[in-house]
Amino acid sequence: MASLDKPRHVKYWQRCFTSYLPSAYTTNDSTRLTFAFFIVSALDLLSVPFTSKERSSIRSWVLSLQHPDGGFCGSPTHVMSGQDATKGSANLATTFFALLLLGVAAGTDDEARAAFTGVQRRKLLRWVTKLQRPDGSFGQVLWEGEAVGGRDTRHSYLASAIRWMLRGEGDEEDIDVERMVDHIRHTQTYDGGAAELSQHESHAGYAYCAIAALYMLDRPASSTAPHKSEAVGKGVPDRDALIHFLVHRQFNYLVEQEQDESDEGDANYVQAKLGDLSLSHHCAHVGYNGRWNKKADTCYCWWVAGTLAMVDSFHAVNIPPSRQYLLDVTQHRIGGFSKHAGGPPDLYHSYLGLAALALMGDTDLKEFDVGLCCSKETVRKIELARAGLFGNRKGDFDGDGFWESIKKAD
């Protein structure tokens, strides 16, 4: 039975951290900050320590990407046509990852309390409210003052998570929570899944983002507090149908060698008929897909298992064969995970492969937070950053104000 080859994964991620990424990533330069999160957070999950110099460099680089009108840019070169080249363009995804990176980069508890120092909190939150449309959905970027980008649930999730990380109880300005919940209600499809709109094809990734957006809306300030999300109950019209859709993303993933159908040295992988899986039936490997009649894909182990965890149905995840699918089929010999059997490892699938294993309790990885897709240790630092941001007051000042108070105290 295979296990996580931790030394190889550490080498893979350290190589990504200390050297240039392969040339294939060049076209993704606008998402450089997102890649930085995957790399740094993966090393954190693997318990690889950072030097104080590395932590300081991460923090300085992230803050250098802050947009003067709110939010964070994806990279120093991320400039949309027609905009001031000195300002770039902020987007929701990189803003979410920027805040998490500031948490990961904090070494001590004192550093964690000051992690959001320098973040223009009020500007950022005002920018998020401008991204919300009248129908409750969110765009990804502002273009000439108008929210642009799709209406899918990814943007709702990112806005909800950013709100949880930065908003104080005393802040008057806020997104329209009721419209957001109503928009998400209308994304559930006939088969129980979620899509951009109820008439579109359902997708496990959209389902995670829809549930996580609701889950973060009423998440307590402390992760030690119990969380029975009323927003999830209100925003999902048919919970049973959702669970049914998610459970059926799992299927028995057959290895021909196991059936004596191949005597070749390398196993050839095929997938069983969808719907054949029974939780009472023994199977060695369970793969996951995101939509009906699609192939197994590493990332959906996370999207499906994470969503089931947030709707109190993690028991429906067939954990042992799910782990074996990741470890036997998509874990790569050089470290990382591939999208599917036989493919090369990439940052996205390598991180979400670790995320799925951490959620399933792999002892070589830190405990994982289902709502923010990072280690629970990082979430604890984010909570300290929130406490440091607001102190005993309720949202009265920005991170810069907190930093000034520290300097005066010194």
Side-chain angles (χ1 to χ4, degrees), residues 114-190:
F116 289 158
T117 297
V119 174
Q120 298 174 13
R121 188 182 69 86
R122 286 199 179 94
K123 279 186 177 180
L124 195 159
L125 290 173
R126 281 195 294 269
W127 170 75
V128 172
T129 63
K130 293 176 183 176
L131 287 169
Q132 188 173 25
R133 300 185 179 95
D135 65 358
S137 68
F138 285 82
Q140 187 176 18
V141 298
L142 285 178
W143 178 255
E144 296 182 348
E146 181 181 351
V148 296
R151 281 175 161 76
D152 64 68
T153 57
R154 288 174 297 179
H155 304 150
S156 297
Y157 163 59
L158 296 167
S160 183
I162 292 167
R163 175 183 182 268
W164 181 83
M165 286 189 273
L166 288 184
R167 189 172 184 273
E169 294 180 18
D171 289 341
E172 294 183 2
E173 192 168 16
D174 194 9
I175 63 173
D176 192 325
V177 171
E178 291 301 318
R179 286 190 179 183
M180 175 182 175
V181 173
D182 185 62
H183 167 71
I184 293 174
R185 279 183 59 84
H186 286 85
T187 64
Q188 188 167 28
T189 60
Y190 74 95

Side-chain angles (χ1 to χ4, degrees), residues 346-398:
D346 65 80
L347 297 181
Y348 174 76
H349 291 92
S350 294
Y351 183 73
L352 294 184
L354 291 180
L357 288 172
L359 185 63
M360 295 176 191
D362 195 296
T363 56
D364 283 323
L365 302 168
K366 292 181 180 179
E367 293 185 355
F368 206 72
D369 186 87
V370 70
L372 289 175
C373 197
C374 60
S375 71
K376 288 187 176 181
E377 182 179 332
T378 295
V379 173
R380 187 185 68 83
K381 293 176 183 178
I382 295 295
E383 291 170 354
L384 287 173
R386 284 170 48 88
L389 200 61
F390 302 119
N392 294 323
R393 291 171 280 181
K394 296 183 178 181
D396 291 337
F397 52 97
D398 288 335

Side-chain angles (χ1 to χ4, degrees), residues 61-79:
W61 181 71
V62 170
L63 290 175
S64 74
L65 299 178
Q66 188 167 206
H67 194 284
D69 295 334
F72 286 79
C73 302
S75 81
T77 61
H78 190 195
V79 179

Side-chain angles (χ1 to χ4, degrees), residues 257-275:
Q257 279 189 329
E258 293 175 352
Q259 299 180 344
D260 295 326
E261 294 178 4
S262 173
D263 294 324
E264 299 294 329
D266 294 326
N268 295 312
Y269 297 97
V270 297
Q271 59 191 48
K273 180 182 177 182
L274 291 177

Side-chain angles (χ1 to χ4, degrees), residues 183-239:
H183 167 71
I184 293 174
R185 279 183 59 84
H186 286 85
T187 64
Q188 188 167 28
T189 60
Y190 74 95
D191 59 6
E196 184 169 346
L197 295 171
S198 61
Q199 300 91 342
H200 293 189
E201 184 181 18
S202 55
H203 192 287
Y206 284 172
Y208 172 90
C209 291
I211 298 304
L214 300 167
Y215 183 84
M216 296 302 298
L217 278 178
D218 55 8
R219 176 172 178 156
S222 171
S223 55
T224 59
H227 183 202
K228 183 71 174 179
S229 177
E230 294 182 7
V232 171
K234 187 176 180 181
V236 181
D238 193 335
R239 179 178 177 273

